[in-house]
Amino acid sequence: MNQWKNFSKGFFKENAVFVLFLGMCPTLGVTTTAFNGLGMGLATTFVLVMSNIVVSLVKNQIPEKVRIPSFIVIIASFVTIVELTMQAYLPDLFKQLGIFIPLIVVNCLVLGRAEAFASKNSFLSSVLDGLGMGLGFAMALTILGTVREILGSGSVFGYKFIAGDGILVFVLAPGAFIALGYLIMLVNKINNKTA
Amino acid sequence: MEYILIIIAAVFVNNIVLNQFLGICPFIGVSGKVETAVGMTGAVAFVMVLATIVTYIIQSAVLEPFGITYMQTITFILVIASLVQLVEIILKKVSPALYQALGIFLPLITTNCAVLGVAILTIQKDYTLMEGAVFAIANAAGFGLALIIFAGIREQLELVNIPKPLKGVPIAFITAGLLALAFMGFAGIV
Amino acid sequence: MAKKESTFINMVIVLFLVTLIASASLGIIYSITKEPIEKAKVAIKIEAINKVVPAFNNVPLNESLSVKQDKDSLIIYPAKNDGVTVGTAIETFTNKGFGGKIKLMVGFLPDGTIKEISVLEHKETPGLGDKIENKKSDFSRQFVGENPEEFKLKVSKDGGDVDAITAATISSRAFCDAMQNAFNVYKSLDTENDSTTVKK
């Protein structure tokens, strides 16, 4: 397996958010600021890599019929670890991300990679797949978060560059949908040109 | 009176899809046709209400008394996964046609953030078991409302000329955004 | 290596083992993070108390009082310098916010005037209701230095002395509601002796 291709596919060709449309809920829910998007992306990457590791190591020990529940328990454990650790050491980020942290467990991206990749590939490939897809996801969330923060609050990672408020709709629900729609359109255009 | 407020808030003001951002994956995947949207809503509603009730009981009877609330994520998702298996088995026997129509989306209810989300929200909002059940039913209704309206719009969009880059998912999201904007108008009610 | 067979006994054992290992690991992580989580929670409270009352040298968290209201509680933190009460911080809330619960930390001076207010939590609309925050607008400044005995804690629309935030009447009303709850609890304190018991 071309490990470079394996790692890099998660950034553009098979980007979780812009191409595969996986993990939509947190994508829309937490990207009110660039920092929140980045935080969530990294938390998800941690869970993705760890669960890929464990699944690729135990894949032959798990009977076919119970693989989904087993994967879920494994993923849920890492999500809880992230929850507890964040609560203890990054309480502000924890409050911002709210309910979306436990929801990492139902992020179709994580279960999807465990099922489609880690359960069928080697330890190394699974680690790189997890890293690539996760960081690609984080990149997408940070981009969307940055766009929404710039347009909606007139700031980037907390640094305000205008006085007062921006176009508020972008930090609210409708703006999330609309911004993401246009970003996907952009990615479509780019992918079509290079296809 | 409390219950009416819970219902109106869950269906319109804090619509689970258009405002809380939960349940988006099936939203994009299933909302192409009104028929499938209705079927999906039924299945989700059933799982959501049952899951909320069962997880509530587990939280108050097991997790809290034993001080193991950190097991919440694992136990809740296992309950949901089991319930979905149950629904699959029942549907296969009772209505094979519907089972076929829903296809892959049935097991996907397990990863529907709306189901897990509502279960967790019920605990966070400190509802009683009865309030929680009403909350779950109302959210399922809100999910269905958003899904069905959206399916209707998408059916119409199929017949229209859309620029290539916007075709498919992008225009769906932009439409959802406008729908969300419309729903914001309900904000003054509660 | 072939996958394990899906016999009933295999499935049960594997699922049981997986859950057992998972629960054990989580139990360990939980016990490690328990203290830091508590510390983080306490740190946030202390920071808020510091903001709203004058300098003190007691430990308000150790002398706190809880008053139940609406499925939640208001918490009173007496601030003392060498045993003499210099201020009382009250953690108050309202459920009438536009987006739900709003939590405030209000600091009262011994004469009943409001020293400072800190917004702990809210889910109000950005650009509108979030102006209850100190850094977003001067809305909360009008309460500072006022004594609720004379300064009516209602918006002018409801006959009070408070200037509401334009286009955010619900958030402003809710803020006043939280302030009123705090003041009611403050008045009920047995301040003749010390601020550590509630008058019967």
Side-chain angles (χ1 to χ4, degrees):
Chain A
M1 171 170 305
N2 181 334
Q3 292 296 2
W4 172 248
K5 269 214 173 116
N6 180 25
F7 172 71
S8 61
K9 66 181 187 284
F11 288 91
F12 289 104
K13 276 197 112 193
E14 289 184 41
N15 184 289
V17 174
F18 298 129
V19 179
L20 302 179
F21 308 128
L22 298 174
M24 292 279 98
C25 299
T27 307
L28 291 163
V30 309
T31 47
T32 42
T33 66
F35 184 69
N36 288 354
L38 183 60
M40 184 56 152
L42 293 179
T44 310
T45 304
F46 173 76
V47 175
L48 184 52
V49 173
M50 295 309 291
S51 76
N52 265 16
I53 288 178
V54 174
V55 169
S56 72
L57 287 177
V58 301
K59 59 181 180 288
N60 289 321
Q61 301 305 315
I62 301 186
E64 182 75 17
K65 288 218 167 114
V66 291
R67 66 179 200 292
I68 299 285
S70 309
F71 294 167
I72 289 181
V73 173
I74 294 171
I75 295 172
S77 311
F78 287 114
V79 171
T80 310
I81 292 178
V82 169
E83 258 186 280
L84 291 174
T85 316
M86 223 190 247
Q87 228 182 327
Y89 302 110
L90 294 165
D92 287 321
L93 182 61
F94 180 77
K95 230 174 167 191
Q96 292 284 333
L97 298 182
I99 198 173
F100 288 101
I101 297 180
L103 288 182
I104 295 178
V105 76
V106 289
N107 184 326
C108 336
L109 176 63
V110 182
L111 188 59
R113 290 332 276 178
E115 161 76 358
F117 199 91
S119 63
K120 301 178 181 143
N121 283 284
S122 71
F123 173 77
L124 181 62
S125 301
S126 301
V127 169
L128 288 176
D129 173 85
L131 262 179
M133 297 301 280
L135 290 177
F137 180 72
M139 181 188 82
L141 256 63
T142 312
I143 292 178
L144 183 58
T146 312
V147 168
R148 287 180 71 192
E149 194 183 345
I150 292 179
L151 289 175
S153 322
S155 62
V156 173
F157 279 100
Y159 289 109
K160 277 191 87 92
F161 52 82
I162 59 165
D165 301 312
I167 309 173
L168 282 173
V169 76
F170 283 103
V171 291
L172 299 172
F177 284 109
I178 295 175
L180 183 56
Y182 277 110
L183 274 175
I184 296 178
M185 176 195 79
L186 269 176
V187 173
N188 273 348
K189 273 195 137 171
I190 296 175
N191 275 340
N192 281 334
K193 278 214 178 123
T194 55
Chain B
M1 187 53 193
E2 272 287 320
Y3 292 117
I4 302 207
L5 282 175
I6 293 180
I7 295 175
I8 297 187
V11 176
F12 296 106
V13 182
N14 290 330
N15 184 287
I16 193 87
V17 178
L18 298 172
N19 188 284
Q20 307 282 303
F21 296 123
L22 301 177
I24 307 278
C25 296
F27 190 60
I28 294 295
V30 180
S31 55
K33 274 187 132 106
V34 176
E35 277 174 36
T36 25
V38 173
M40 182 59 152
T41 305
V44 169
F46 184 72
V47 175
M48 194 181 273
V49 178
L50 262 185
T52 304
I53 295 177
V54 175
T55 54
Y56 186 91
I57 296 176
I58 293 183
Q59 175 85 7
S60 28
V62 179
L63 296 183
E64 271 170 21
F66 288 98
I68 46 171
T69 47
Y70 60 86
M71 291 297 287
Q72 186 186 69
T73 306
I74 291 191
T75 40
F76 278 26
I77 191 66
L78 280 179
V79 166
I80 293 173
S82 322
L83 278 173
V84 172
Q85 279 286 92
L86 194 65
V87 170
E88 266 189 87
I89 296 176
I90 294 179
L91 257 192
K92 239 189 189 161
K93 288 228 164 94
V94 168
S95 172
L98 186 54
Y99 179 78
Q100 288 291 2
L102 287 176
I104 185 142
F105 292 112
L106 207 37
L108 279 183
I109 296 180
T110 310
T111 53
N112 185 329
C113 4
V115 180
L116 180 59
V118 169
I120 297 180
L121 279 174
T122 306
I123 307 290
Q124 280 187 0
K125 289 185 185 249
D126 235 346
Y127 284 144
T128 64
L129 182 53
M130 198 55 207
E131 285 171 345
V134 172
F135 181 64
I137 297 174
N139 271 308
F143 176 75
L145 185 64
L147 211 64
I148 293 170
I149 294 180
F150 204 59
I153 296 178
R154 282 188 93 180
E155 271 186 3
Q156 294 299 311
L157 278 179
E158 284 294 303
L159 310 168
V160 176
N161 229 343
I162 297 186
K164 192 152 173 283
L166 281 173
K167 261 205 173 118
V169 179
I171 194 68
F173 272 123
I174 296 174
T175 314
L178 295 174
L179 197 53
L181 203 54
F183 266 65
M184 277 187 83
F186 289 120
I189 297 184
V190 182
Chain C
M1 209 199 315
K3 272 213 165 119
K4 250 206 176 106
E5 257 193 67
S6 287
T7 63
F8 186 71
I9 188 84
N10 270 350
M11 297 201 291
V12 169
I13 293 181
V14 168
L15 218 39
F16 181 70
L17 271 177
V18 172
T19 317
L20 190 65
I21 298 177
S23 317
S25 329
L26 285 186
I28 297 174
I29 303 277
Y30 175 67
S31 51
I32 297 178
T33 53
K34 204 167 165 205
E35 229 193 270
I37 291 179
E38 274 313 306
K39 280 209 182 120
K41 286 190 184 159
V42 165
I44 294 176
K45 291 232 159 125
I46 295 187
E47 202 191 313
I49 296 175
N50 278 333
K51 278 196 197 146
V52 303
V53 291
F56 54 88
N57 60 12
N58 69 328
V59 186
L61 262 74
N62 289 348
E63 299 182 44
S64 67
L65 262 185
S66 213
V67 178
K68 276 204 203 298
Q69 189 171 318
D70 281 337
K71 283 195 203 178
D72 200 333
S73 317
L74 280 81
I75 311 179
I76 306 159
Y77 302 101
K80 301 186 184 157
N81 224 350
D82 301 326
V84 177
T85 306
V86 292
T88 312
I90 300 188
E91 192 181 315
T92 176
F93 72 94
T94 175
N95 285 325
K96 302 186 184 161
F98 186 72
K101 197 173 238 178
I102 301 180
K103 270 189 163 175
L104 307 175
M105 185 73 87
V106 186
F108 289 100
L109 292 176
D111 63 358
T113 46
I114 298 169
K115 172 161 200 297
E116 185 54 85
I117 310 168
S118 191
V119 175
L120 296 172
E121 254 180 56
H122 78 85
K123 291 193 209 136
E124 304 305 278
T125 318
L128 291 171
D130 74 346
K131 293 201 169 136
I132 55 175
E133 281 179 47
N134 204 344
K135 51 185 178 166
K136 298 262 167 113
S137 89
D138 291 333
F139 170 72
S140 55
R141 302 298 86 208
Q142 64 185 305
F143 295 87
V144 173
E146 297 291 348
N147 192 326
E149 285 290 357
E150 293 117 25
F151 185 78
K152 292 205 214 65
L153 293 172
K154 283 190 196 273
V155 299
S156 27
K157 247 189 226 170
D158 301 334
D161 296 319
V162 176
D163 281 325
I165 302 170
T166 324
T169 323
I170 297 183
S171 305
S172 314
R173 277 202 182 110
F175 192 88
C176 293
D177 183 55
M179 295 293 296
Q180 189 67 50
N181 287 339
F183 185 62
N184 291 344
V185 159
Y186 178 75
K187 274 203 294 185
S188 70
L189 282 174
D190 195 0
T191 43
E192 284 143 22
N193 298 330
D194 54 30
S195 303
T196 52
T197 47
V198 178
K199 260 192 272 219
K200 287 282 176 265

